[in-house]
Amino acid sequence: MRAKILTNSKALSCSHKKSGFVLVSVLMLGVLLISCATAFSWFVRAQVRTTGQELRAIERRTMADVLANAVMKALVQVAAEIDYDSPADQRWYKPFILPLGNDLGIWVAQIVPLDDKIPLRNLFLPDGNTLRREISEMWEELWRKIGNVNNANIVLDFLDRNDKPRVGSAEREEFINRQPYDPSELMMLSRHIPQELLYGSEGKRGFLDYCTIYSDGKININVAPVYVLELMPGLDTGGIAERIERTRAETPIKNMRELQKLPGFSAKTSNKLTNLIGFKSRYFLLKIECLDDTGNGGKSFNIIFDRDSKQIIKWEES
């Protein structure tokens, strides 16, 4: 009888142990399932948030594209009516605030005329090798200003069509020997020209501060920086460049006749600049900033387009 009781006690104890093990297993499984469910829930939330952000980014990018194309069409019409492009014309070149609503936030857009510096895509005559006469004085003055005139021919060899070195220069296998398609191609010059001359240093401007690929060959006198105007023959003395800046800040300079009226602007200067300066731009920068509903954050777009071809040629966003 006692043996039977002991046997039952052992069985009961074993049963309790099994029940405890099963209970612990069930609890662990429950914890695991809860953890998986929580992780899946966070994953779903993250995916929904990411998808929402991507959809919002696409929505903003689409809206920026719509605005850019609308601006191009408007400026094509403007070009048919007026012969100048100037920031002083507040009808077009002031910042525009566009409260679009419907969760699209507030949009701020501004058009900036380009063609404002030495045109690197139009340095040469049609042969692709001979420097344009009207640019030659300006080109030499540029290199005298930033230092080391010998580098002027290195850049010309980098851009001209032939593979014959100019005086004091040397052709290299990596020279593109053509007009640049994008400003980034000019970075290869850093292998042959000191970086401080190429990019500038300690408040001193470099070569790339004076030049642009966004030009049809003439420099828009209404938008060119003073330091670029000072490179032009006849505008580098007597404070004429500063006089031009003050005048155009108040009213656009529409043609050569108006420019000739400025004190100190001689007929000789006019002849030298006839094929170098213009009053209209072919290329434009459209700066767009999209703010969220609180006015913070959002997205920015820098879009460059060609008014003549009616095409967007560069798109940057951040």
Side-chain angles (χ1 to χ4, degrees):
M1 184 69 178
R2 185 177 179 183
K4 187 175 181 180
I5 291 173
L6 289 174
T7 301
N8 289 339
S9 297
K10 289 181 179 180
L12 186 59
S13 176
C14 186
S15 175
H16 282 307
K17 288 181 179 180
K18 288 181 179 179
S19 298
F21 177 76
V22 171
L23 180 59
V24 171
S25 299
V26 169
L27 291 174
M28 291 180 66
L29 181 60
V31 171
L32 179 61
L33 291 174
I34 292 172
S35 299
C36 290
T38 302
F40 182 72
S41 175
W42 282 108
F43 172 76
V44 170
R45 289 184 183 181
Q47 289 297 103
V48 169
R49 188 181 302 111
T50 301
T51 302
Q53 291 172 348
E54 290 176 352
L55 289 174
R56 194 165 183 83
I58 293 172
E59 188 179 60
R60 288 175 171 175
R61 194 172 295 122
T62 302
M63 182 58 67
D65 183 62
V66 170
L67 284 174
N69 281 281
V71 166
M72 276 194 294
K73 290 180 181 179
L75 286 180
V76 168
Q77 294 177 352
V78 169
E81 298 172 3
I82 60 176
D83 294 324
Y84 61 88
D85 294 299
S86 168
D89 187 343
Q90 291 296 297
R91 294 173 299 173
W92 297 102
Y93 302 115
K94 67 179 180 180
F96 290 92
I97 300 176
L98 308 170
L100 298 180
N102 296 327
D103 297 326
L104 291 177
I106 298 174
W107 293 65
V108 181
Q110 184 172 14
I111 308 166
V112 180
L114 300 179
D115 297 69
D116 56 342
K117 298 177 183 178
I118 297 175
L120 290 181
R121 291 172 59 86
N122 302 88
L123 289 177
F124 305 107
L125 295 177
D127 65 5
N129 302 307
T130 307
L131 187 65
R132 288 167 52 194
R133 183 178 179 181
E134 61 269 19
I135 284 183
S136 59
E137 286 187 49
M138 194 176 184
W139 186 256
E140 292 173 4
E141 182 61 26
L142 161 63
W143 288 100
R144 279 196 293 269
K145 188 173 287 288
I146 65 176
N148 201 331
V149 178
N150 293 333
N151 287 308
N153 282 337
I154 294 177
V155 177
L156 294 178
D157 275 333
F158 180 82
L159 296 171
D160 65 15
R161 289 182 190 170
N162 65 34
D163 57 359
K164 298 178 181 178
R166 298 170 188 266
V167 177
S169 179
E171 285 282 349
R172 298 286 187 270
E173 185 177 347
E174 67 270 20
F175 281 8
I176 59 176
N177 292 124
R178 56 169 172 76
Q179 59 185 16
Y181 297 124
D182 188 88
S184 61
E185 291 185 299
L186 301 171
M187 303 309 171
M188 286 188 286
L189 283 168
S190 61
R191 303 178 187 177
H192 311 282
I193 296 177
Q195 291 205 7
E196 61 272 17
L197 294 183
L198 193 60
Y199 303 108
S201 63
E202 298 180 357
K204 185 178 180 180
R205 296 183 183 90
F207 167 72
L208 295 179
D209 293 313
Y210 291 90
C211 302
T212 181
I213 70 168
Y214 303 117
S215 172
D216 68 349
K218 288 189 175 184
I219 300 172
N220 185 344
I221 201 78
N222 284 300
V223 292
V226 171
Y227 60 84
V228 171
L229 295 178
E230 290 174 341
L231 298 178
M232 297 182 183
L235 303 187
D236 55 343
T237 58
I240 301 179
E242 290 82 0
R243 205 168 296 130
I244 290 173
E245 182 185 40
R246 289 195 299 269
T247 300
R248 72 188 185 186
E250 297 178 1
T251 180
I253 301 174
K254 302 176 182 179
N255 49 52
M256 186 63 78
R257 290 190 303 276
E258 292 189 0
L259 197 56
Q260 290 170 340
K261 293 177 182 178
L262 295 180
F265 197 93
S266 66
K268 183 179 179 181
T269 299
S270 177
N271 292 333
K272 286 186 176 182
L273 298 181
T274 297
N275 295 318
L276 180 60
I277 65 170
F279 305 89
K280 298 180 72 171
S281 294
R282 173 176 176 173
Y283 296 91
F284 295 82
L285 167 64
L286 175 60
K287 299 161 65 175
I288 301 175
E289 187 173 4
C290 172
L291 306 175
D292 63 19
D293 296 334
T294 63
N296 300 311
K299 199 168 186 65
S300 298
F301 300 87
N302 286 326
I303 304 167
I304 295 177
F305 59 86
D306 178 347
R307 178 162 62 184
D308 286 6
S309 66
K310 304 175 187 177
Q311 291 183 339
I312 293 173
I313 59 176
K314 188 163 188 173
W315 182 292
E316 294 180 340
E317 53 186 88
S318 58

